[in-house]
Amino acid sequence: MTSVVTAGGISVTIRGAVVDEGETVLDRLVSDGVPGALASRNPHLWGPDAAPGAARRLGWLGLPEAARSLPARLSGPAGSARDAGLDRVVLIASGGAAVAAEAIGAAAGADLTVVDTTDPHEVTGALAGDPHRTLVVVAADGEDGDGYGLEVDALRRVFAGAFRDAGLAGADLARRFVVVAPAGSAAERAAREAGHHLVEAEPDVDGRYGALDARALTAPALAGVDVAALLDQAAALAGTLRQPYDNPALALGAALGSSALAGRDKLVLADHGSGLAGFGAWAEQLVAGALGKDGRGLLPVVVEDVEAPGFDLTPDMRRVILGRRPDEPGPGREAGVSVAGPLGAQFLLWECAVAVAARVLGVDPFGEPDVHESAESIAALLRSEEGTAPTVVRRPPVLVEGAVEVHAREDALKGAATLAGVLEAVVEAAPDGGYLGVLAYLDARADAEAAGLRPLLAARAAKVRRRPVPVTFGWGPRHLHTTGQYHKGGPRNGAFLQVTGAVRTDLPVPGRPYSLGELQLAQAFGDLRVLRSLGRPAVRLHLRDRAEGLAQLADALS
């Protein structure tokens, strides 16, 4: 059986058992008036406890029209930047804004550098561009202190220091920054005092749902992306949201929610000709963060393509293809979902679908009850006497092989005496019906080979366990703001492999008693401490030499 829902430039195709599973859920959503209630921004859709927070987080539904004023709001900073010859745009951000901007820039082929890491090697690479041609967009995401958030504040300070080292000062330095912050926020006040360009962000938009707000769109727009076209695409879909039928967002939301209820709680995403590079990463952060809480949720697993290890049809996995669906003959192979359409419409589609799925699952799509645990753990590690660096206690490794150190409780390794044995123990630690998460606190560009651990581990897991085991991959600290909520608040069935690396050249954070390398290590240790406190099996591998260590890991898994 096949169901195809096409409207607003989007096509959602649902095949096989998913059609039957979702039909009852879809009918219930329609009878409950969910399409109209969502389009009207009814905060009670997710229950009375969620209503107060939801009332302050539904502005994303109006962004296809509200964000159209952004080009006019950018005319001042854009004109000043062009006059000053600033044609290299760097975005400092975290969470959904960073991932959305990266996807937008990649889809448009724009020259945009997104920095949402504290890895000193990767940040050094971002600093390597000509400072006299660089304009930095800062997407504020914090509520405490100066309102920038820990990582964004540190990166802002590092870039300001680099500008000063290049001879920039006073008003010339101040105008190298465009700060995107809500009116009345601490970040807005700090930006005004510093003399930075200021772009007002929408105050009632959750960052996870903010793919079309000023935090995500400002940097791509300044880099030359036609954001009006994105908003046109989203607006075409927005007109369908009230419809009880022929509503792609409602159909996809019912499919997602019913899959989780039926025990297919692993959502495997593969691109197949969508042309939307990076979109899977954005959908991953939305699905994981909005649905993974209260011991429930859908685990998004982004795989390299439809032929990659892990893109299997198993009782606990639901496959979603972004783009054209390949020919898959054979009984049962046709079950799944495929989604096609332009980027702007896809953003709104998934935001609405995930909000609908949250109602089906009975969770608050905007709450982040478990993210704060890692933040508090990191803050504790960074606390120190005034003017001194933070102290992170380093314990001796339980095993060293070549360039790789193994840090774990000995009982977690099941007596393994080699790196290959350690990796096999990690694979076996994933509970039945669970998953393995790889968390790499490395340089996403220079250490890009680390992402290859995902398919290698998935292939090894299938061999060792004699069945597919979902394996996810995330760059740290990005995953703290994206998938971290699911890892800590979703079903307690994850095992984790954290990878850290030696820092050759560190970067001090001006005005702070720590360097980027120390901040990154505190983030890794803080995250690991929380995972272990929740009873999640977790092993840390430290690469004394990054390139050599990654090569060793690949060899051990081959």
Side-chain angles (χ1 to χ4, degrees), residues 311-329:
F311 193 66
D312 303 274
L313 189 62
T314 66
D316 64 342
M317 297 183 191
R318 172 67 68 222
R319 298 187 304 178
V320 176
I321 293 177
L322 303 172
R324 297 179 294 105
R325 187 170 183 82
D327 182 22
E328 295 181 295

Side-chain angles (χ1 to χ4, degrees), residues 287-322:
V287 172
L291 303 180
K293 59 204 71 171
D294 303 330
R296 286 166 279 178
L298 273 173
L299 173 72
V301 183
V302 179
V303 302
E304 295 70 26
D305 54 53
V306 295
E307 302 297 331
F311 193 66
D312 303 274
L313 189 62
T314 66
D316 64 342
M317 297 183 191
R318 172 67 68 222
R319 298 187 304 178
V320 176
I321 293 177
L322 303 172

Side-chain angles (χ1 to χ4, degrees), residues 67-477:
R68 292 184 183 277
S69 65
L70 182 63
R73 285 183 276 156
L74 293 180
S75 59
S80 298
R82 283 192 295 268
D83 292 343
L86 305 180
D87 57 356
R88 177 176 181 260
V89 179
V90 174
L91 171 64
I92 294 174
S94 65
V99 187
E102 195 167 70
I104 292 167
D111 184 10
L112 173 63
T113 300
V114 177
V115 184
D116 65 341
T117 180
T118 51
D119 184 84
H121 294 181
E122 187 171 344
V123 176
T124 296
L127 291 169
D130 185 353
H132 298 284
R133 294 177 44 225
T134 300
L135 180 69
V136 177
V137 178
V138 181
D141 68 349
E143 297 179 359
D144 300 327
D146 57 14
Y148 287 110
L150 180 64
E151 292 139 47
V152 171
D153 174 67
L155 292 167
R156 179 184 63 87
R157 290 170 178 271
V158 168
F159 271 84
F163 284 142
R164 282 192 290 268
D165 291 343
L168 299 171
D172 193 19
L173 186 151
R175 295 191 185 106
R176 296 306 177 100
F177 290 91
V178 177
V179 175
V180 189
S185 65
E188 184 214 26
R189 292 190 295 271
R192 290 192 187 280
E193 291 172 5
H196 298 323
H197 298 293
L198 184 66
V199 176
E200 186 175 325
E202 294 77 7
D204 56 349
V205 176
D206 182 284
R208 204 175 295 285
Y209 283 79
L212 298 174
D213 80 346
R215 294 178 187 86
L217 293 184
T218 294
L222 291 173
V225 174
D226 183 1
V227 298
L230 282 174
L231 296 173
D232 286 343
Q233 295 162 3
L237 181 70
T240 72
L241 297 182
R242 290 184 180 276
Q243 298 173 183
Y245 299 102
D246 296 326
N247 182 332
L250 191 67
L252 180 58
L256 298 180
S258 63
S259 292
L261 293 179
R264 293 184 181 271
D265 60 353
K266 317 298 190 305
L267 194 71
V268 188
L269 298 159
D271 193 278
H272 189 72
S274 76
L276 306 179
F279 181 80
W282 178 83
E284 176 188 38
Q285 65 86 31
L286 175 67
V287 172
L291 303 180
K293 59 204 71 171
D294 303 330
R296 286 166 279 178
L298 273 173
L299 173 72
V301 183
V302 179
V303 302
E304 295 70 26
D305 54 53
V306 295
E307 302 297 331
F311 193 66
D312 303 274
L313 189 62
T314 66
D316 64 342
M317 297 183 191
R318 172 67 68 222
R319 298 187 304 178
V320 176
I321 293 177
L322 303 172
R324 297 179 294 105
R325 187 170 183 82
D327 182 22
E328 295 181 295
R333 295 286 292 173
E334 72 279 2
V337 179
S338 61
V339 182
L343 182 59
Q346 289 267 20
F347 282 140
L348 184 60
L349 170 81
W350 282 85
E351 288 168 347
C352 291
V354 169
V356 168
R359 176 182 169 86
V360 175
L361 294 182
V363 298
D364 175 2
F366 309 112
E368 295 184 323
D370 303 283
V371 167
H372 299 296
E373 292 186 27
S374 284
E376 291 169 1
S377 180
I378 293 163
L381 290 170
L382 290 175
R383 288 190 194 107
S384 58
E385 295 182 11
E386 186 174 352
T388 63
T391 300
V392 175
V393 178
R394 295 177 174 85
R395 292 183 173 85
V398 297
L399 176 69
V400 178
E401 185 174 311
V404 182
E405 296 178 357
V406 180
H407 296 263
R409 298 187 177 106
E410 292 193 19
D411 59 351
L413 302 181
K414 299 182 178 181
T418 65
L419 184 58
V422 167
L423 293 171
E424 188 161 313
V426 168
V427 164
E428 292 178 342
D432 289 340
Y435 70 100
L436 173 63
V438 183
L439 314 173
Y441 285 81
L442 298 169
D443 181 341
R445 291 168 175 78
D447 302 325
E449 292 84 359
L453 295 175
R454 195 218 67 79
L456 290 173
L457 283 163
R460 174 58 65 88
K463 181 177 181 180
V464 171
R465 302 287 292 269
R466 296 184 179 179
R467 65 172 181 80
V469 175
V471 179
T472 71
F473 179 89
W475 294 105

